Amino acid sequence: MHPIIRHVLYYHLGRTSPSDPLRSQDLFTDPPLGSIIGLSAIDDADGSRARPAQAGSRITVEWLESLPRMECLYRFRLFSEEIIDLAAALRIPDPFITASRSRFTQVEVLGLLLARLRSSGDMYELTIQYDRPQSAISEAINELVCFLDDYWKALLSCDPRNHVLSPQRLAQYAKSIHEAGAPLPTIWSFIDCTVRSMCRPTYYQQQAYNGYKGEHALKFQAVKLPNGLIGLLHGPHEGRRNDNHLLADSGILDWCYAHAHRPGTSDATPLHQRYFQIFGDPAYGVSPILMSPFAGAGERTQEEKLWNEAMAKVQIEVEHGFADITRLWPFLNTWWKQKVFHSPVGRYYRIGVLLFNAVNCLRPSQTAQCFNCPPPSLEEYFTL
C-alpha cells in the first residue's frame, strides 16, 4: 500500500501507527473517528436543515410494560419482558454512556438498537418516536454494536467458550439431522456463504466488488445448526473472495480435526469414520470432515440421485436461515445505508446474527421444530 494512503487510513481504523498491519476486512468493521455522528437531512438554500421535531416517549421499563403486547412485538420484534431479560443477559452497562457523554439505560439503548434493525426507514423516525436526538441515537447504536461484537464474539467463532459446539452437542445435532431424514448419521451442521450488498466504497472498490452478484458487497461464512442457531459466523471479507478462501481463513477445518471426533473413536479408527462432518455445496468438496452432494460430469446413478434428494430435503430447512435473519432485521437489507468509512457495516450483520440467535433461544424457530432440536435458553446461551 502507498505510504500516503496508509497514513490517511490508519487514523480511521483505530491504529496507533501507520506501520501496523492493515487487513482489508478492517475497512468493514471499524468505524472512522466521528462516523457515529448522524448525517444531515436535506439542506435548504439558507443552510437550514429539514428535520422532524424530537417527540414521542423514551424507552423505559414502565413504558415498555404499558405497551400492548403485539405493539411491542411490532416495534422491537420482542415482548417487553423479553427485552428486559435480553438486556440483562447481554451484560449491557447500566447506564450506557457514549463517547459524547449521552446517557442511556441498558433497556433504552437495546430498544433503540432493536428498533433500528427492525426498520429499513430513516433514523429520524426513531427521533419522532423515542424522544432522542438523531445524533445521539446514531452514536449509541454504533457504540452498542461495537461493544456487543467485542464482548460476545466468542459465541460466533471457534473459541473454546462457544459452548453450543461442545462434543456432546455435536452428537446431538448429528442425531437430530439423521432422524430428520439425512442418509448419514455423521452430519452435524450445514455451511454456506452469504453476500451482503453495500454502497460503493470510496476506497478499495475492486476488493469489495463481487463479480458473481455484480455489486459491491461484504461476504460472510456461516455454519447453521439444526437447533436454528448460527453456530459460527466468519467475516466480513471483501466481496471478491470465493467460498474456499473464507473456509481456509476461518480456521474451522483445523477446529473440526481437533474437536469433531465421534464418540468411541481413536487414532486407529479409519478417517472416514472418525469425525462428524459439515455438509455444504459441491464447491466445498469431500474430506473426512466435509461432505457435499454427488456432482461433476456424467450422469448420476439412481442411488446417487436419491442420496442427493434426501440431503437436499434436510439442507433446505437450514438454508432458510439467511433469509430469516434479514426478514427479522430488515435494516440489514438496506444496502444504500451500508456505507464503509461511515458506519461499522460489518458489525451490523454480526450483531444481527447474534440477536437472531437470541430470538431463537426465546422462541424456537421453524428449523428447531423441524429437527426436534431445541436451542439453549437465553441465560444458557449468553454464558462465557
Side-chain angles (χ1 to χ4, degrees):
M1 181 184 300
H2 194 280
I4 295 179
I5 297 178
R6 181 175 292 277
H7 274 276
V8 170
L9 290 182
Y10 89 92
Y11 291 105
H12 297 282
L13 298 176
R15 287 170 171 74
T16 57
S17 170
S19 61
D20 289 350
L22 177 64
R23 302 172 303 161
S24 54
Q25 55 263 42
D26 289 336
L27 301 176
F28 312 122
T29 57
D30 297 336
L33 189 62
S35 67
I36 53 179
I37 300 176
L39 299 180
S40 64
I42 301 173
D43 291 344
D44 200 356
D46 61 356
S48 60
R49 297 174 179 177
R51 64 180 64 180
Q54 183 177 324
S57 300
R58 293 198 176 182
I59 302 172
T60 63
V61 173
E62 294 76 15
W63 180 80
L64 286 174
E65 292 176 343
S66 70
L67 287 177
R69 285 180 61 80
M70 297 312 295
E71 181 181 348
C72 187
L73 184 65
Y74 173 79
R75 287 172 178 256
F76 306 107
R77 300 300 204 211
L78 294 171
F79 295 115
S80 59
E81 64 273 13
E82 293 174 337
I83 297 174
I84 296 169
D85 291 343
L86 180 58
L90 288 171
R91 313 289 195 273
I92 299 173
D94 194 12
F96 187 86
I97 304 176
T98 65
S100 63
R101 310 306 297 172
S102 297
R103 297 171 67 90
F104 300 81
T105 65
Q106 62 175 193
V107 170
E108 182 182 16
V109 72
L110 177 60
L112 290 172
L113 174 60
L114 295 174
R116 184 60 183 137
L117 293 175
R118 180 257 174 273
S119 172
S120 59
D122 193 90
M123 189 176 290
Y124 277 105
E125 295 178 2
L126 304 185
T127 295
I128 300 172
Q129 294 177 335
Y130 303 117
D131 193 25
R132 285 282 191 174
Q134 184 270 343
S135 59
I137 294 175
S138 177
E139 180 183 38
I141 290 175
N142 283 345
E143 290 193 14
L144 179 60
V145 163
C146 294
F147 167 79
L148 294 177
D149 191 35
D150 290 337
Y151 194 96
W152 296 108
K153 60 184 177 182
L155 296 183
L156 298 177
S157 68
C158 296
D159 193 288
R161 295 174 293 173
N162 190 354
H163 50 83
V164 298
L165 300 181
S166 64
Q168 296 79 11
R169 291 187 183 272
L170 297 190
Q172 177 188 355
Y173 301 151
K175 182 175 182 291
S176 297
I177 294 174
H178 183 54
E179 291 177 349
L184 295 177
T186 55
I187 303 298
W188 67 274
S189 64
F190 299 84
I191 189 170
D192 202 359
C193 288
T194 181
V195 177
R196 309 303 312 152
S197 303
M198 66 176 185
C199 289
R200 182 177 62 187
T202 304
Y203 308 103
Y204 300 102
Q205 294 179 9
Q206 291 184 339
Q207 287 188 347
Y209 187 76
N210 183 278
Y212 178 73
K213 295 285 188 177
E215 57 195 15
H216 296 88
L218 307 179
K219 199 164 186 178
F220 294 84
Q221 174 188 271
V223 172
K224 185 75 179 289
L225 306 175
N227 60 7
L229 302 183
I230 302 293
L232 294 170
L233 182 70
H234 181 63
H237 274 263
E238 316 93 292
R240 68 187 179 93
R241 298 295 188 180
N242 62 29
D243 293 2
N244 283 309
H245 173 85
L246 270 68
L247 178 66
D249 188 71
S250 67
I252 189 173
L253 299 179
D254 295 334
W255 183 90
C256 287
Y257 278 119
H259 300 284
H261 293 269
R262 299 179 66 186
T265 61
S266 64
D267 293 342
T269 306
L271 282 177
H272 66 281
Q273 299 177 357
R274 191 183 306 174
Y275 301 100
F276 289 113
Q277 297 164 316
I278 303 174
F279 189 82
D281 294 332
Y284 289 105
V286 176
S287 73
I289 57 175
L290 284 172
M291 185 59 63
S292 61
F294 289 99
E299 289 289 331
R300 305 274 76 79
T301 66
Q302 185 64 22
E303 184 179 5
E304 291 174 344
K305 290 180 180 178
L306 292 175
W307 194 94
N308 284 353
E309 290 175 4
M311 285 304 305
K313 288 180 181 179
V314 294
Q315 185 183 20
I316 191 63
E317 288 298 332
V318 297
E319 289 289 341
H320 292 157
F322 289 132
D324 290 341
I325 293 169
T326 54
R327 190 180 299 114
L328 184 67
W329 310 123
F331 173 73
L332 299 178
N333 265 346
T334 57
W335 60 266
W336 58 94
K337 297 179 183 293
Q338 311 298 322
K339 299 179 180 180
V340 177
F341 299 110
H342 287 282
S343 302
V345 177
R347 293 184 189 250
Y348 285 154
Y349 190 76
R350 291 179 58 84
I351 296 307
V353 169
L354 184 71
L355 294 176
F356 169 80
N357 284 351
V359 173
N360 273 317
C361 292
L362 292 166
R363 297 190 296 273
S365 65
Q366 178 180 327
T367 300
Q369 298 173 33
C370 173
F371 288 100
N372 193 25
C373 185
S377 67
L378 188 67
E379 294 75 15
E380 184 182 1
Y381 179 66
F382 287 107
T383 301
L384 295 178

